[in-house]
C-alpha cells in the first residue's frame, strides 16, 4: 500500500518505508493512501483468534509487503510479553460499560502494545526499503513512550534509541523506569521544560536537512517511535477490533451493533487509531476524546478552533499533559477531504500563531464522529475513589479521566450503546496519586505508596515496579531545551 504525506510533497510505495522513515520528508505525517476494509465476515473470524492472530490479521491489510507468517511470528513474540499473551483483555464493569486493559505489557502502559512490535516492523521496514544505515530513534516522551521504546529497542542490532523527557513532568515511577534502563544502545536525557518543548525539539531535528546530512556522514539515519510513526499507530488499531470481537464472543453485543470508545487523549495517537478502525469498517458510533485540565482538544471539538495559546498545567495524569497534539494533523487532513495545501497552511498557522480553525462543514463532520470533554484534577481523583468504592476496581489517573468523561458523555447525550473505556496504564505507575485518591493522603515515597495501595486494594503490584527499587540509576543528565542537538551528536560520536 502506498503512503502519502499529509502535506502532499512526499509519497512512498510501501508501509515499510513509511515506518522506516517515521516522518515524511516534507515534515508531514504518513497516512495510508486508502483505508482497507474489514467485513462483518472478518469480524466473525476474529472471534476465535488470539490477540497475536488478530493483530496480524488487521495489520497485514496495511503491511502487505511483510510476509504474513513472519509478521504473525513477530506478533506472537510481542504479545507473549504480555500477561496471558493478551494485549487487550476486556473487563466488565456493568452491562453497558467495559474497560480494555492495555497495560499488561513490559512497561505497564498501553504504549507497549505497539512498541513491543515496532522493532520488528522497523528493522524489516529498513530491509524492505533498502535502508542500510544505522537507525537512530529519537523519542520525545510525556513519560510512557520513552520507557516502552527503550525496552522495546534495547540491544536491537543496528538501532540506537535516545529519549528526551520533561525533567519535572513525569511521575517518580516513570522517571525511575527510564533512568534505570539497561541496554548498550540507549540514552536518556531529561530536558528542562515540558513535553511540548521536548516534542518541538525532536521535530526540529527531524526536519533539519543539515542535521540529517551530518548524521549521514556517520552512516546514521533518523527515525521516530512516537505515534507520528505509522508503525506506532498501526498496532493500536488492533485493540479496537479485539475489544469488539471479545464483546461478540461473550454475547454482550450482536454483530453490527455500534460501540462507543472512550480514550484518554494526549498526542491523539490512541484515539486516531480508533478513527482508523472505524474507517476500516468497525461499527463504532462515537469516539470520545477525554482530556485532563490541559483541555485544548476539548475546546477544539467544541469550537472548531485549535488554540494552543494557553496556560500549561502539570497534572496527575502527566502522559496527557500536552498542548500540541501531533496526530491531530492526520484527523484534520481527513476532515478536509485530504486537502494537502489546506493542511500544510494550518500547520504553518499552528507553528506561527499557535492556532487554526476548521470550516463549518469540517466541524459538523467532526461532531458526527466525536464527543469530547475533560476531567479536572479533583474529578479525576474523585472518580478513582468512587469507582474503587463501588466496583473494587482500581483506575490509574489517566483512565480515571476517561472514566469521568465517559459518564459525562452518557449523561449529556443519552447515547445507550455499549461503552468501552481504554485503560492506558497500571495504577502502580502513578501510585502516589492513586493512593491519595483512595486513601485521602499518601506518603512521598513511591514504593511506600505502592505497598499501601496493595494493602488497601489487593491489586497485585507488578514485578516491573518491585524491581525498580534495586536497579542502578544509569542516566542523570539534565539539559536545556536548546541543547538537544548537541546531546544527540554527543551520543552518536
Ligand atoms: C501516552 C498516554 C496517553 C495518551 O495517548 P495519546 O496516544 O498520546 O493520545 C494516555 N494515557 C497514558 C497512560 C499514556 O501513556
Amino acid at each position: 500500500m502506498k503512503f502519502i504525506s499529509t502535506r502532499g510533497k512526499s509519497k512512498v510505495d510501501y508501509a515499510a518505508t513509511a515506518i522506516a522513515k517515521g516522518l515524511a520528508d516534507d515534515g508531514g505525517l504518513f497516512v495510508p493512501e486508502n483505508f482497507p476494509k474489514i467485513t462483518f465476515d472478518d469480524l466473525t473470524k476474529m472471534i476465535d483468534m488470539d490477540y497475536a492472530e488478530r493483530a496480524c490479521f488487521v495489520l497485514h491489510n496495511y503491511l502487505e509487503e511483510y510476509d504474513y507468517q513472519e509478521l504473525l511470528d513477530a506478533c506472537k513474540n510481542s504479545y507473549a510479553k504480555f500477561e496471558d499473551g493478551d494485549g487487550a483483555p476486556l473487563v466488565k464493569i456493568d452491562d453497558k460499560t467495559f474497560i480494555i486493559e492495555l497495560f499488561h505489557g513490559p512497561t505497564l502502559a498501553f504504549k507497549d502494545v505497539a512498541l513491543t512490535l515496532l522493532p520488528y516492523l522497523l528493522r524489516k521496514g529498513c530491509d524492505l526499503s533498502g535502508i542500510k544505515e544505522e537507525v537512530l530513534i529519537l523519542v520525545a516522551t510525556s513519560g510512557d513512550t520513552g520507557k516502552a521504546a527503550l525496552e522495546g529497542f534495547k540491544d536491537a542490532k543496528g538501532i540506537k534509541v535516545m529519549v528526551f523527557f520533561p525533567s519535572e513532568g513525569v511521575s517518580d515511577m516513570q522517571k525511575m523506569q527510564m533512568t534505570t534502563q539497561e541496554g548498550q544502545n540507549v540514552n536518556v536525557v531529561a530536558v528542562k521544560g515540558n513535553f511540548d518543548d521536548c516534542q518541538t525539539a525532536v521535530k526540529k531535528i527531524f526536519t533539519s536537512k543539515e542535521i540529517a546530512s551530518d548524521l549521514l556522514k556517520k552512516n546514521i539515519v533518523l527515525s521516530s517511535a512516537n505515534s507520528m510513526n505509522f508503525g506506532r499507530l498501526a498496532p493500536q488499531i488492533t485493540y479496537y477490533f479485539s475489544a469488539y470481537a471479545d464483546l461478540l464472543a461473550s454475547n454482550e453485543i450482536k454483530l453490527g451493533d455500534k460501540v462507543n470508545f472512550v480514550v484518554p487523549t494526549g498526542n491523539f495517537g490512541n484515539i486516531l487509531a480508533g478513527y482508523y478502525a472505524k474507517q476500516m469498517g468497525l461499527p463504532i458510533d462515537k469516539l470520545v476524546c477525554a482530556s485532563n485540565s490541559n483541555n485544548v482538544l476539548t475546546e477544539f471539538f467544541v469550537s472548531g478552533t485549535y488554540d494552543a495559546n494557553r496556560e500549561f498545567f502539570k497534572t496527575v495524569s502527566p502522559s496527557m499533559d500536552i498542548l500540541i497534539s501531533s496526530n491531530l494533523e492526520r484527523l484534520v487532513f481527513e476532515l478536509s477531504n485530504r486537502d494537502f495545501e489546506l493542511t500544510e497552511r494550518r500547520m504553518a498557522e499552528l507553528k506561527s500563531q499557535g492556532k487554526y480553525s476548521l470550516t463549518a462543514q469540517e466541524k459538523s463532520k467532526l461532531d458526527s464522529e466525536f464527543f469530547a470533554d475533560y476531567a479536572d484534577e479533583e474529578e479525576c481523583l474523585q472518580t478513582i475513589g468512587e469507582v474503587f468504592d463501588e466496583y473494587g476496581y482500581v483506575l490509574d489517573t489517566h483512565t480515571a479521566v476517561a472514566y469521568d468523561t465517559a459518564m459525562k458523555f452518557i449523561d449529556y447525550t443519552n447515547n445507550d450503546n455499549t461503552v468501552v473505556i481504554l485503560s492506558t496504564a497500571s495504577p502502580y505507575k502513578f501510585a502516589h496519586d492513586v493512593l491519595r485518591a483512595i486513601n485521602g493522603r499518601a506518603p512521598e515515597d513511591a514504593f511506600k505508596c505502592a505497598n499501601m495501595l496493595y494493602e488497601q486494594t489487593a491489586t497485585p503490584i507488578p514485578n516491573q515496579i518491585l524491581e525498580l527499587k534495586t536497579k542502578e540509576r544509569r542516566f542523570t543528565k539534565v539539559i536545556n531545551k536548546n541543547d538537544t542537538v548537541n546531546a544527540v551528536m554527543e551520543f552518536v560520536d
Side-chain angles (χ1 to χ4, degrees), residues 439-457:
N439 204 26
R441 57 207 169 92
E444 271 308 306
D445 182 77
F447 294 107
K448 249 188 219 157
C449 291
N451 284 330
M452 288 175 71
L453 192 58
Y454 173 65
E455 281 163 20
Q456 295 244 331
T457 66

Side-chain angles (χ1 to χ4, degrees), residues 103 108-111 141-145 174 195 227 232-233 236 239 263-272 290 297 317-322 325 327 396-399 422-426 429-430:
F103 59 79
L108 307 173
F110 89 94
K111 309 291 200 291
T141 184
S142 56
D144 291 326
T145 295
Q174 286 178 311
F195 170 73
S227 51
R232 246 301 287 288
L233 212 52
Q236 297 178 182
Y239 44 73
V263 190
T265 298
N267 220 4
F268 212 75
N270 202 359
I271 194 168
L272 186 82
L297 284 167
S317 44
S319 302
M320 296 159 66
D321 288 347
I322 295 175
S325 295
N327 267 297
D396 93 282
T397 46
H398 305 75
T399 310
L422 277 64
S423 175
T424 48
S426 158
K429 277 192 113 158
F430 307 93

